[in-house]
Amino acid sequence: MDIVFIRGLRIETTIGIHDWEKRIRRPIDLDLEMRSDVARGAATDRIEDALDYEVITRRLTRFVSESRFELVETLAERCAAILMDDFGIRWVRLSLSKPGAIGEGVDVGVVIERGDRTPG
């Protein structure tokens, strides 16, 4: 199994359970690992035959920046669903963190895995 990854994707959004959090925008950080067979793209050297991380990044950035959720868990689930539904990704590990959520220098978040990790 090959993995394409995107790390350190920072997106401004509105997220949180407290009233004050619902009135501000703050960054969230996304790290993604996505199962992909890179052999075809490597053989042709054409982006059409590969997982286009630029397109994925733009899609997630648009979704997250326009969204409003209370829980990081909900946002993580929705991002994973976009990756699987819109891009046909069969397995994803997604880490979503909310920097400074409970104090300066303290990140909180979730790591989820969705889909089938086995080749086939």
Side-chain angles (χ1 to χ4, degrees):
M1 175 180 72
D2 303 325
I3 293 177
V4 173
F5 67 87
I6 300 170
R7 293 188 184 127
L9 180 57
R10 180 164 277 195
I11 307 168
E12 295 279 328
T13 192
T14 303
I15 190 162
I17 61 171
H18 303 290
D19 287 339
W20 65 268
E21 289 180 298
K22 296 175 184 181
R23 294 188 303 268
I24 66 167
R25 294 180 62 75
R26 66 182 313 142
I28 59 100
D29 292 332
L30 280 174
D31 291 329
L32 308 169
E33 294 181 12
M34 301 162 285
R35 179 179 150 208
S36 179
D37 181 356
V38 302
R40 183 173 172 202
T44 65
D45 199 30
R46 296 173 35 95
I47 192 63
E48 297 82 9
D49 296 325
L51 195 55
D52 190 335
Y53 48 81
E54 183 179 5
V55 172
I56 289 170
T57 298
R58 281 197 317 259
R59 174 69 174 99
L60 289 178
T61 298
R62 186 174 64 248
F63 172 74
V64 171
S65 66
E66 294 172 357
S67 69
R68 298 177 71 91
F69 292 106
E70 290 192 359
L71 301 178
V72 294
E73 292 87 346
T74 307
L75 182 55
E77 286 287 346
R78 301 286 166 76
C79 289
I82 286 170
L83 294 169
M84 297 178 86
D85 296 343
D86 293 5
F87 297 98
I89 294 168
R90 294 183 53 198
W91 173 85
V92 61
R93 177 184 294 133
L94 183 148
S95 172
L96 189 151
S97 65
K98 191 171 151 183
I102 56 172
E104 187 66 33
V106 180
D107 294 354
V108 300
V110 296
V111 177
I112 64 172
E113 272 189 46
R114 298 295 177 264
D116 184 5
R117 192 176 174 141
T118 59

